[in-house]
Amino acid sequence: MKNLKKKIIENLNGSLSEEETALLEKAFDFAEQSHSEQKRQSGEPYINHPLRVALTISQMKLGINAIIAGILHDVVEDCNVPISKIRTEFNEEVAFLVNGLTKVNKIQYKGQKEDNIAEKENYRNMILAMAKDLRIIIIKLADRLDNMKTLWSLDPKVQTKKALETLEILAPLAYRLGMTDIGSQLEDLAFPYVFPEEYKLTRKILGKRREEQKEYINKLAPLTRRKLQENNIEPKEIKFRTKHLYSVWRKLQKEEMDIRRIYDLVAMRIIVTSVEECYATLGIIHQMWKPVPGRFKDYIALPKPNGYQSLHTTVFAENGRIVEIQIRTSQMDEEAEWGIAAHWIYSSFKKTDSYKKKKGFSPPKNFYWINQLRQWQKTFYKSEEFLNALKVDFFKNRIFVLTPKGDIIDLPDGATPIDFAYQIHTDIGNQATRALVNGKLVSLDYKLQSGEVVEIITKKGKRPSSSWLEFVKMNETRKRIQDALKGKNFI
Ligand code: MN
């Protein structure tokens, strides 16, 4: 535990003021006292968990309040510390972050029997909508990362549930935020619980291939560097990208389970200074080693829809072994990491096209801020501007509420229980008499909030009231009420 604290402080690298250091120490003590008697299912002292979460957050330069929120993230839920106490002992922002996380954690993912892409997307959006601040999502991801590492200690039913949520909801969220490292870690931790047979099979098929390929490419690197230097190109870096296990599994499915058809288990990545050097490097590589026909891609001249740029080629290298080589500038390399977020959004929304038409859902337009954010994170993370950028109204105009069964319904902001009822079914709308929100009776013109569970009580044969027209939010609802009222006149 002492060690964890030390590492957190080390990560902050002397960037804290005296006041902030005092606050951090206070958070350590506060969490320690709150969790003092508690143990994790794994048998270790509870405090280790929030400290590990805080350690992950401390690597991201999100400021002191995010780290303190990480340290305190479980005291409200697990130690019954009121949020007001956190506000008075620490500050408004820490209280806001811890409170936000507590809210987000209340959402129960029911898991999908069928592959319902739109439903999963809605669930992710609901988390974003409720979070209101990117730091809350990041704490959530760091929390889950640590929980996944000790998942073995939990009940098998809980294991499957948590792992499924991790794989289907949280890992994609991490990718969306450009946190590829956490995303792939989460996927690989969840993989054996969600698909145990497939996991074993993938490991068996993979064998030692990744290690071998890495060793092999390791030997190619100095050779490549020398050849480039002979041609007056000084590569900034030659590195590797290893495909993580879950990604190997996905690719295997596309390649008819033939591991020999996956050429990028380990790819060589050459970073150079300019676009001209990218093409020159490609020419030199192709002179050294014959390209595999049909596998060259020029994403510099023709970037991917998300803006991703790089040259990809696959060659028969020394001893005829097949190797994927990616060539790009440093700038492209950095942007590729952010671009993954954009790419994810692009591909997922393409898949839900039909859903969009059906429900009038439109993808968020302002995701460019994620790129902006990463840029800022590097340059001036302490400034006001950066912290404000983290407070984002992800879905200004949409809310996401749940049916008692856990289905997510997305509605415009300001929607009422009556709008909700008509989205479920016209009959439910027409026959609505009362509404319960999180189990409590509310008026029919109540303004619903993201994350609320809404239940409509109906009475057979009841007709809608014309007074509803005055408060319902959606035109669609209004029209259905009017239709029903007209019908009434005919009777
Ligand atoms: Mn936790």
Side-chain angles (χ1 to χ4, degrees):
M1 186 181 72
K2 269 206 182 115
N3 207 7
L4 281 166
K5 285 192 207 168
K6 220 178 106 194
K7 280 191 199 157
I8 292 171
I9 293 166
E10 269 169 23
N11 275 342
L12 299 172
N13 203 12
S15 65
L16 297 186
S17 68
E18 236 169 81
E19 210 178 308
E20 288 170 332
T21 309
L23 206 62
L24 184 65
E25 292 292 346
K26 189 175 174 184
F28 285 144
D29 293 342
F30 191 94
E32 235 166 278
Q33 275 167 25
S34 304
H35 292 297
S36 61
E37 299 299 316
Q38 293 173 328
K39 284 221 173 353
R40 298 281 288 173
Q41 294 282 96
S42 60
E44 64 175 335
Y46 198 99
I47 186 71
N48 291 356
H49 162 69
L51 289 184
R52 282 194 298 260
V53 171
L55 180 63
T56 305
I57 298 163
S58 70
Q59 292 159 352
M60 300 180 205
K61 300 185 176 176
L62 291 169
I64 187 68
N65 288 332
I67 297 166
I68 292 179
I71 298 168
L72 302 177
H73 83 269
D74 274 335
V75 300
V76 175
E77 268 174 287
D78 295 342
C79 315
N80 295 319
V81 172
I83 203 77
S84 56
K85 175 119 182 168
I86 294 185
R87 193 173 294 120
T88 49
E89 294 287 320
F90 296 92
N91 59 47
E92 186 62 50
E93 195 157 283
V94 171
F96 162 76
L97 294 173
V98 173
N99 196 30
L101 187 72
T102 308
K103 272 193 210 156
V104 168
N105 281 344
K106 286 212 177 98
I107 308 172
Q108 292 282 327
Y109 182 55
K110 68 183 167 110
Q112 299 298 323
K113 274 171 236 107
E114 65 226 90
D115 203 31
N116 189 336
I117 292 164
E119 181 79 18
K120 286 174 198 165
E121 175 59 13
N122 254 347
Y123 187 86
R124 290 181 206 113
N125 288 341
M126 181 164 69
I127 292 180
L128 286 173
M130 285 183 73
K132 299 204 190 295
D133 190 307
L134 187 61
R135 286 171 295 178
I136 292 168
I137 308 282
I138 293 171
I139 299 167
K140 168 95 185 162
L141 292 171
D143 183 29
R144 181 55 58 89
L145 184 66
D146 192 60
N147 286 336
M148 288 305 292
K149 286 176 183 167
T150 49
L151 199 63
W152 54 268
S153 62
L154 300 186
D155 182 80
K157 258 195 191 155
V158 182
Q159 285 178 344
T160 318
K161 203 173 153 230
K162 291 275 171 201
L164 192 66
E165 184 186 38
T166 301
L167 199 61
E168 297 190 330
I169 306 300
L170 295 172
L173 265 181
Y175 286 123
R176 184 190 286 198
L177 300 182
M179 301 165 75
T180 43
D181 185 47
I182 288 190
S184 52
Q185 281 190 63
L186 286 174
E187 281 182 343
D188 274 5
L189 287 163
F191 188 21
Y193 294 99
V194 180
F195 301 111
E197 293 309 315
E198 291 82 350
Y199 171 77
K200 278 184 224 155
L201 183 65
T202 307
R203 286 193 57 159
K204 200 174 146 209
I205 293 173
L206 190 60
K208 295 210 181 315
R209 276 167 186 272
R210 263 189 318 194
E211 288 73 26
E212 279 167 16
Q213 185 76 346
K214 202 169 168 181
E215 251 172 61
Y216 173 72
I217 291 183
N218 235 335
K219 286 181 198 147
L220 296 184
L223 188 67
T224 310
R225 182 178 290 275
R226 218 175 321 129
K227 198 79 182 173
L228 292 176
Q229 284 166 337
E230 282 170 21
N231 289 277
N232 297 320
I233 292 170
E234 185 59 60
K236 286 191 140 177
E237 202 181 347
I238 297 181
K239 53 186 182 181
F240 315 99
R241 196 274 291 122
T242 314
K243 216 175 188 55
H244 69 288
L245 204 65
Y246 186 66
S247 169
V248 172
W249 161 246
R250 268 184 316 212
K251 192 101 176 221
L252 274 174
Q253 287 170 295
K254 275 189 216 145
E255 300 292 347
E256 291 162 21
M257 303 305 289
D258 187 351
I259 190 87
R260 289 166 305 179
R261 280 161 64 173
I262 305 181
Y263 300 129
D264 63 343
L265 282 177
V266 185
M268 182 194 281
R269 200 169 274 172
I270 305 174
I271 314 296
V272 292
T273 310
S274 64
V275 171
E276 290 72 28
E277 280 189 1
C278 288
Y279 288 105
T281 301
L282 179 77
I284 295 158
I285 295 287
H286 282 178
Q287 274 172 28
M288 276 170 88
W289 299 311
K290 282 217 181 324
V292 176
R295 302 224 16 131
F296 168 63
K297 293 196 182 87
D298 185 347
Y299 294 122
I300 293 181
L302 294 166
K304 285 191 185 179
N306 61 25
Y308 175 87
Q309 287 191 300
S310 195
L311 299 176
H312 287 194
T313 186
T314 307
V315 297
F316 298 100
E318 301 301 301
N319 306 321
R321 269 178 81 157
I322 294 175
V323 177
E324 178 170 314
I325 299 179
Q326 305 174 348
I327 306 161
R328 53 175 79 155
T329 65
S330 323
Q331 197 192 336
M332 290 172 195
D333 192 43
E334 278 174 47
E335 282 176 1
E337 208 186 333
W338 318 330
I340 286 161
H343 178 63
W344 188 86
I345 291 160
Y346 171 80
S347 52
S348 70
F349 279 111
K350 254 191 109 176
K351 279 180 214 143
T352 57
D353 249 356
S354 57
Y355 176 73
K356 255 182 357 195
K357 274 183 210 118
K358 204 172 86 200
K359 285 210 164 176
F361 183 86
S362 55
K365 289 185 190 83
N366 297 326
F367 267 90
Y368 70 89
W369 65 266
I370 292 172
N371 299 346
Q372 193 76 59
L373 195 67
R374 295 185 67 89
Q375 189 75 288
W376 284 348
Q377 198 171 349
K378 284 181 194 135
T379 44
F380 43 87
Y381 77 90
K382 271 203 157 182
S383 76
E384 194 82 349
E385 206 175 340
F386 174 66
L387 288 176
N388 281 334
L390 294 164
K391 294 196 184 87
V392 178
D393 241 332
F394 292 97
F395 295 96
K396 251 190 199 135
N397 310 314
R398 307 296 301 179
I399 58 160
F400 299 83
V401 296
L402 296 142
T403 69
K405 279 187 195 156
D407 291 321
I408 296 170
I409 308 294
D410 89 277
L411 299 164
D413 189 30
T416 64
I418 294 298
D419 294 291
F420 170 87
Y422 277 100
Q423 286 301 303
I424 306 290
H425 197 279
T426 307
D427 289 344
I428 308 266
N430 286 340
Q431 301 175 8
T433 58
R434 283 181 302 164
L436 299 172
V437 164
N438 295 341
K440 282 188 195 132
L441 209 59
V442 297
S443 61
L444 293 176
D445 62 353
Y446 174 82
K447 288 202 177 6
L448 297 168
Q449 308 280 319
S450 274
E452 288 179 334
V453 179
V454 187
E455 190 177 351
I456 301 295
I457 315 280
T458 56
K459 195 173 155 206
K460 252 208 151 72
K462 191 189 162 292
R463 290 285 176 163
S465 155
S466 59
S467 67
W468 293 356
L469 293 168
E470 287 159 33
F471 62 74
V472 293
K473 175 76 182 175
M474 297 162 77
N475 290 333
E476 190 186 329
T477 313
R478 198 162 287 120
K479 189 173 177 305
R480 292 205 211 168
I481 295 170
Q482 281 162 345
D483 286 349
L485 289 172
K486 268 186 225 148
K488 191 182 177 183
N489 292 339
F490 280 107
I491 293 165

